[in-house]
Amino acid sequence: RRLVVAVVLLAVALVALGAWAMYDITSAPDTAATAEINAVYDDYLGAYLEQDSEAFLAVTTEDYVLTSFGVTLTQTERAESLGPPGVSELERIGDLLVMHDGTDYVVAAAERTTFLGVEYDGVSAYRVVDTEEGLKVAEHAWVGNL
């Protein structure tokens, strides 16, 4: 009789452990990027890599600023500084890390970029905001090796 009770308790514990493991495997962490965040990140980088000023203006807010290597550029200055496609390469290292409060998102990405043949490793922090037209990048700060 005790053996039956012990087997039943062990079976219940095993089922509970299995359910917890499945939940843990299938649930995304609070800091995981949504499909929308991944899309705006991809659109922003696509505009940069293609050096497409129209696409860049479409994915950024009017008060957008970029800070990199101690230089700050406005949306217009950044759009005007884009050159011919193929000048830059960029590789995201790992997943995006996202935190949000209401309609404001902070997105962090480890990135490896090559610009004019020089490779840089660093981290980008993006402030993404929800606008009437959808998510847009409002701020981009890049910190990395010189």
Side-chain angles (χ1 to χ4, degrees):
R1 194 175 220 189
R2 289 182 192 175
L3 183 59
V4 171
V5 171
V7 168
V8 169
L9 288 176
L10 284 173
V12 169
L14 185 59
V15 168
L17 182 62
W20 175 80
M22 290 302 293
Y23 170 78
D24 191 49
I25 290 170
T26 60
S27 65
D30 291 341
T31 57
T34 63
E36 293 84 8
I37 291 292
N38 276 312
V40 76
Y41 176 84
D42 291 342
D43 290 347
Y44 178 82
L45 289 186
Y48 167 71
L49 293 172
E50 293 299 317
Q51 301 290 291
D52 184 341
S53 59
E54 288 184 29
F56 177 81
L57 292 171
V59 76
T60 57
T61 63
E62 289 182 15
D63 62 346
Y64 165 90
V65 293
L66 165 68
T67 305
S68 179
F69 293 117
V71 175
T72 299
L73 299 174
T74 66
Q75 181 197 41
T76 303
E77 292 169 334
R78 183 63 182 131
E80 290 173 352
S81 72
L82 296 175
V87 174
S88 301
E89 296 176 23
L90 192 132
E91 174 188 6
R92 183 176 85 195
I93 310 299
D95 295 329
L96 297 175
L97 177 67
V98 181
M99 298 181 75
H100 71 92
D101 182 19
T103 59
D104 286 358
Y105 299 82
V106 177
V107 180
E111 298 166 336
R112 177 170 294 125
T113 186
T114 304
F115 180 71
L116 297 174
V118 180
E119 189 174 277
Y120 302 94
D121 292 325
V123 175
S124 282
Y126 302 90
R127 185 169 59 87
V128 176
V129 296
D130 198 0
T131 70
E132 290 179 3
E133 294 108 20
L135 294 176
K136 292 190 174 202
V137 178
E139 187 175 356
H140 177 187
W142 195 88
V143 177
N145 63 324
L146 294 174

